[in-house]
Amino acid sequence: MNREQALAIVKEQLTEHRYLHTVGVMETAINLAAKYGADTRKAELAAIFHDYAKFRPKEEMREIIIKEGMPSELLEYNSELWHAPVGAFLTEKEAGINDKEVLDAIRYHTSGRPGMVLLEKIIYLADYIEPGRHFPGVDEVRDLAETNLNKALIKAVQNTIMFLMKKGQPVFPASFQTYNDLVMNKED
């Protein structure tokens, strides 16, 4: 599947604003992959499909999580997390993409996970720093991404956890585990 075909498939599932975000994530992911030695084609594909399920009805996503045996703890946390694992499932089922690395990058782009591989880190970070994002702390993470992927990722995860805590919202355990794993295995 080429870029145009992939973008056409996801465009049908997204609002115009989210489609523009997706294009920004795609461009950012390709740049990060080239900079840090990841497969640019896989980064492109994962970025294009990362929000594929973003606007699916919550009930549909809930049913898929249950039916497909995804971690039930997802249902106890904010439904904003659901589109990542459900998106990986639907990308494989509906778009026929079965590359495990691409699907895992989609699956973990919201929560992260301990032991993230390079492609997962790139998609998580590209989603966070794409040019259309404007919020406190994003420019610092963009600057870090120019020289050190892991430092940028640590700061992005830290910012996300702090944002949720300041709003009094629960933090998905995998996000804490991701932060701890990154800090404890920090490469300078």
Side-chain angles (χ1 to χ4, degrees):
M1 173 179 316
N2 67 33
R3 177 187 297 189
E4 290 71 29
Q5 291 168 322
L7 286 170
I9 290 168
V10 300
K11 189 169 190 171
E12 293 178 14
Q13 302 294 324
L14 304 175
T15 64
E16 184 62 24
H17 176 76
R18 186 54 54 166
Y19 178 76
L20 293 174
H21 161 74
T22 295
V23 171
V25 174
M26 177 192 73
E27 292 167 352
T28 303
I30 291 168
N31 291 337
L32 289 171
K35 179 184 290 287
Y36 291 105
D39 184 320
T40 55
R41 178 70 185 120
K42 288 184 181 193
E44 175 184 79
L45 206 52
I48 290 171
F49 281 96
H50 84 283
D51 276 350
Y52 183 65
K54 183 85 173 170
F55 297 106
R56 295 293 175 107
K58 284 187 178 117
E59 197 47 50
E60 178 187 358
M61 288 194 283
R62 177 188 305 279
E63 286 174 20
I64 289 170
I65 289 168
I66 293 166
K67 183 176 154 220
E68 296 304 318
M70 295 177 190
S72 60
E73 71 180 342
L74 280 165
L75 301 174
E76 300 168 23
Y77 289 85
N78 194 308
S79 59
E80 276 295 308
L81 291 169
W82 300 355
H83 77 277
V86 170
F89 170 77
L90 292 174
T91 296
E92 182 174 20
K93 182 179 174 199
E94 296 178 359
I97 294 167
N98 57 13
D99 184 300
K100 182 177 176 355
E101 285 183 86
V102 170
L103 296 174
D104 280 348
I106 296 166
R107 183 174 289 111
Y108 300 113
H109 84 270
T110 56
S111 64
R113 70 168 174 157
M116 290 173 81
V117 299
L118 182 59
L119 184 61
E120 292 168 12
K121 292 176 179 181
I122 285 169
I123 299 305
Y124 185 104
L125 200 56
D127 185 34
Y128 190 89
I129 66 170
E130 67 93 359
R133 298 281 202 191
H134 303 286
F135 52 83
V138 71
D139 288 330
E140 180 184 4
V141 177
R142 285 185 183 121
D143 290 343
L144 287 168
E146 289 298 316
T147 57
N148 190 306
L149 184 72
N150 285 326
K151 285 183 180 177
L153 195 57
I154 288 168
K155 190 64 179 167
V157 174
Q158 181 183 52
N159 287 352
T160 300
I161 290 170
M162 293 302 293
F163 172 78
L164 291 169
M165 290 175 73
K166 285 178 183 172
K167 288 180 65 177
Q169 293 185 354
V171 178
F172 193 60
S175 296
F176 279 123
Q177 294 163 354
T178 300
Y179 175 78
N180 288 339
D181 182 63
L182 290 166
V183 171
M184 292 168 72
N185 298 299
K186 187 168 29 176
E187 301 166 15
D188 290 324

